[in-house]
Each structure stands twice: as structure tokens, then as C-alpha cells.
Amino acid sequence: MAELRALVGVKRVIDYAVKIRVKPDKTGVVTDGVKHSMNPFCEIAVEEAVRLKEKKLVKEVIAVSCGPKQCQETLRTALAMGADRGIHVEVPESEAERLGPLQVSRVLTALAQKEKAGLVLLGKQAIDDDCNQTGQMTAAMLDWPQGTFASKLTLEGDKVTVEREIDGGLETIRLKLPAVVTADLRLNEPRYATLPNIMRRTTRQPGRWEATNPSLHRPPSVVLQPLPVQVYHCTYS
Amino acid sequence: MAVAAWQGCARLSWWRVRPAALFASRRGYSTMPVDDTINGLNEEQKQMRQTVFRFLQQHLAPKAREIDQTNEFKDLREFWKQLGHLGVLGITVPAQYGGSGLGFLDHVVVMEEISRASASVGLSYGAHSNLCVNQLVRNGNETQKEKYLPKLISGEHIGALAMSEPSAGSDVVSMKLKAEKKGDYYILNGTKFWITNGPDADVLIVYAKTDMSAVPVSRGITAFIVEKGMPGFSTSQKLDKLGMRGSNTCELIFENCKVPVSNVLGHLNKGVYVLMSGLDLERLVLAGGPLGIMQAVLDHTIPYLHVREAFGQKIGHFQLMQGKMADMYTRLTTSRQYVYNVAKACDEGHHTPKDCAGVILYAAESATQVALDGIQCLGGNGYINDFPMGRFLRDAKLYEIGAGTSEIRRLVIGRAFNEAFK
């Protein structure tokens, strides 16, 4: 529908081509000075959203990334691929290690409601943790239908038909919008951002969210650390 | 069952985005990171390098060896269109003609990344995007720009530039290709040699003598835009070169070739200004070529030194090898800073022949030395063609010769100092 807004989550992960090294103290992998880029499945999600916009089925594509300030590079890539706006949910470096699918789905839930998104597109999983949880959790929190492992997506009116890759083969389901869809490998082949798109200037208009915003800290049935969050809006002109 | 086979395939490559990526990493070839903060690039330029790098490593680097061995780039036309789509063929062209409207630093970075994947394709790219396209932008009139630029920028057409002749290389002003005016046409007679992209080019900028009796001799040169298919214009077979194989080079033959008067580029008999100012920018942008080659040498050598073992340890830990790594790295980084800074200055309008010659002089000679060191680091493996080290050396050597030999570049710099003391 021409009024539909798509919210696309993008995660900054260690680049797929990098040789991963374990830290000497064995507490994790080396991330300092290592090349990072957008999660490949998130790229596929962004590409799908941009294609829907080009077909005039989606009005606006909003990219979201949660993490320390380097996430803005990932948002820039999403913007260069064709997203209209980028939202960076800033999490300080010290807290970033504890940022997992549960916290991210809370953020996406709140943002989807605030931005009045009708479609939340995510990658099926991140290549660093392989959790495969964020999409499903977000759908549950929003109480929206979900189409995960999508290899084909068709928007018709207020319904979206999703062809899913499952263990037994392919499953086709139809969801009523608003819905959450997670992208699998064969959904599309992401475009390379063209030079003119990369070079277009960004204008920044900070929009702040208070850390005490109650919608970000729903009464949890599991006790979790509250995260201080600041949101900046990056807009292309 | 077909589905089961497909699922098996899916599991193998589930986290690879594109099949080419799987192939590339199966060969165990990784690349060394480039510290663009030290290089002084801004955020957009860093992202540009990343994007172009990813595209090239997946679509060009796997083909580089075959291109070199067969002296042919089979998918050249298709690749050119992909480059056009990315926006790199018209980097310095203003947006109104479909170009990207960026600067020389951006052009140098892209040139570097293409050369990193395949130096010969990088040379063809440089000849197309700078020698041909940029000259059209700087010297063409509106009609010429609107006629020729769009297809050159989209990648449908390939461009070239022809100034050298069989007996006029460094002494380019003594060229013998004649252009005589006959009505609405100029009739060209003669030959050009060493022309990159010659066999494939659709649009060529050709320098010819319109006034054989001019004094000084340089005042008789005019630049023309020649199209493939113009009567009397033909090319002879590809040259079999030591390096830059795959970047097709040949002789151009003009036998009463009719070129319309409207295709004069710049002004009659003022071609030497087009030529000389073009040469400065050519040297600047082509200096990105040796940078890319040096980076490619490092990409292959540093990991190898940390895998190969001798005397019970990785050879990268021996002092002499550490010394080699340091020498290669500092040669690359110093060349880079020089090239990037001169490019930035040119972007600000400050453009000196002395430094444009200096950057390619320094970068090219550094690249040959780094490539030699690269072969040495790989030892016996550096000597066989299964590894690309030999190709890097053969490709690097060209940059000491093309775009003005090192000797000419030294003359240019020396004479610039002489001028200051006249």
C-alpha cells in the first residue's frame, strides 16, 4: 500500500571474509581493529525493502541499528542502498556486549509502534551469534504475524504472501499486515550502492529519547539490565 | 530428491551471500585491511572504497589470473556495464551528463581498488575514464559532450586515447599522423602505436598534425574524436605484452580516414595544450595503479609469511622477513600519502606538473621494488605462476614506462626547478 512504512533492522557484524581469531583470554573473539560490515541477511532485508519502495508498494524505508557509534557506518550503507531514513539506537560500548535479541526486539517493538511501521523486515539471523531469535521475538512482542526464512515476498493490498524455506521444503503462508518478515538467503541479491548514492550528503537532526522512556522497559518476566538509550535521526537530503 | 539436494547445497552455503564469495575464500585468499584514517579519507570515501572493493573482489579478482594467462578479458563488455552502473566510469564528469561529479582523489581510490583486483583491467579503466572521458569533459564542447559522454559513462562504449606512434613515444610532439582539411572533413593518414583499449574502443581521442610546418613543432597538433567505424580507421592485432595482459593494446591505422570538422576537440593547432595538461592528470590518476599493485602484493605476502613455516616457526617471525614487510609497507604508505595529497590539491584547483610527475615516478618505482620483494618473500612459490607474484611484477613494470617514462618524469621535475631560477 502506498502508505506502508517498512522498518528494517540492520546489524553491524564482523565481515564474513575475515579470519576470526579468539582472544588470548578466551573470553570472546577479537573485534578491535577487525573489519566489520552489515550482516549479509540484513543486506538482503534492506534490498527487499528498497525493491518494494521502487515498486511503490512501500512509502518509506527506515533502517534501524542498535549498538555503539560505529553502527552509523552500517546505517550509511543502508541509506546508500536506498533507505530513506536511518535511526541509530545508541548503546555505549560497555553495554554493547550484553545487547542480545531480547533487548533488540524490545527496541524494534517500540520503534515499530512509534514510527507506525506496517512491515518489519529483518535478516533471519546474524552471522556472529546465529541466534535466529530477533524476528520471532519482535513479532511476539508486537503481537503481529510473522513470516520467517522468507525466500519470496509478495505484497498485495493489506496481505503479504511469504514463501518460507523450511526443513521439509517450501511453505507458503499469507499474513495480514502489519507483519514481521525475516529474510533468507535466496530472497534476492542485494545491490551494490552506487557512487552517487554513497556521496550524497547526510544531514543530521538529533532527536532524543530519554533513557527512562517506559515503553522501552516493559515489565519483564525475566529480570534484565535496563539499557540507557539515545536515538539520533539521520536524514538524507 | 531435488529438494534434498538443494537443501544440502543451502546448508553448505547458508551464510555466504554470493557463490563467488565461497569460491574466493576456498582459495584461502584474504586481503589486508587498508587504514583509511591514516590515508586521510573522509567517511564517504571510506565507504566508497569498501563498496568498490567488495564488488571487485567478487566479480574481478577471481578472473584476474585467467585474464593474464589468456591475454584476454572475455566478459569485458558486460563488466564495463557493471562498472557503469556503479558510477565509476564517469567519476570526474559533472552530474548533468550522467557522471558522478566527484574529484580526483575519489578517482585515484577507485583506480587503486581496480588495480588491486587486476592491474590490467585497472589500466584499461584508467585509459577509459581518465584519458578519454576526462579529456572530453575538460576540452569538449557541449555537442560533443552530449553526444559521446552518456554511452562512455554507462559502459556501453569503451574509450581510448592515441598519442604515441611507432617512432614517437617520449618525443610525442614529433608525431607524424597527418590531418589535412578537405571541405567538412579532415583526412587522417598515418599510424598510432601502444594504444590501450585500441582493439575494443568505440570512441578514441587522437592527436594528429594539422600543420606540418608549425614553429615550434608542437603548435601544429590538433586533437580529434574518432569513432570506430569511421571510414579509413582500422586496428591491427593485439600486442603480446610482458605484463598488463588482458588490457588490449594495439596499433591504429588511418588510411584516408574521414573525421568531420565538428569532431575537433579543443581548438585547431592547440592540441598540445590538451595533450600536456591531460598528461598531468593522467599521471595523477594512473598513479593509483601502482598503489593497487603494491596493496595486492601485501594482500598475498603478509598472510603467506604467517602460514609458511621453516626451522620450526612461521617465517614471518624471522627478522629479515619482518624487515621486508616493513619495507614493503612503508613504500606503499609513503607513495599513498604523496598521491592522495596531490590528488586533494588538484581537487582544490591547485595542480602542478612537477608533483603530478612526481607521484607516478615515485609510486611506479616503489611498486616494482615491492613486487620484487613480494616474489622474494614467497621464495620458490613466488617464482611459479600458480601464485600471482610474477604477474604483479610484470604489471608493475609498465608504470615506469607508460604515461611518460621515468626518465621523462625526472626531466619534467628538473625542468620545473630550472624554470624557477630563470
Side-chain angles (χ1 to χ4, degrees), chain A residues 153-214:
Chain A
L153 181 72
T154 323
L155 260 183
E156 283 147 352
D158 65 344
K159 301 266 196 328
V160 54
T161 306
V162 176
E163 207 173 83
R164 309 176 57 220
E165 292 188 7
I166 59 172
D167 291 339
L170 291 173
E171 179 191 54
T172 310
I173 57 175
R174 190 157 38 215
L175 315 168
K176 191 160 184 290
L177 291 177
V180 174
V181 175
T182 68
D184 205 326
L185 189 62
R186 274 160 285 271
L187 181 57
N188 60 48
E189 179 149 343
R191 65 192 62 191
Y192 292 96
T194 64
L195 253 54
N197 283 345
I198 295 173
M199 291 306 191
R200 264 189 296 150
R201 279 188 309 120
T202 49
T203 56
R204 274 192 194 172
Q205 296 153 7
R208 305 185 119 252
W209 271 24
E210 294 308 318
T212 54
N213 187 323

Side-chain angles (χ1 to χ4, degrees), chain B residues 284 338 342 350-361 412-413:
Chain B
L284 173 64
Y338 192 15
V342 175
H350 180 79
H351 147 193
T352 55
K354 187 171 76 187
D355 288 291
C356 292
V359 294
I360 194 169
L361 170 65
V412 168
I413 300 173

Side-chain angles (χ1 to χ4, degrees), chain B residues 283-318:
Chain B
R283 285 172 187 153
L284 173 64
V285 172
L286 288 186
L291 293 182
I293 296 177
M294 284 192 269
Q295 182 64 50
V297 170
L298 283 176
D299 286 343
H300 283 84
T301 312
I302 315 276
Y304 179 89
L305 291 175
H306 294 90
V307 163
R308 175 83 183 179
E309 288 190 16
F311 304 110
Q313 54 176 301
K314 306 268 189 278
I315 62 175
H317 292 269
F318 294 131

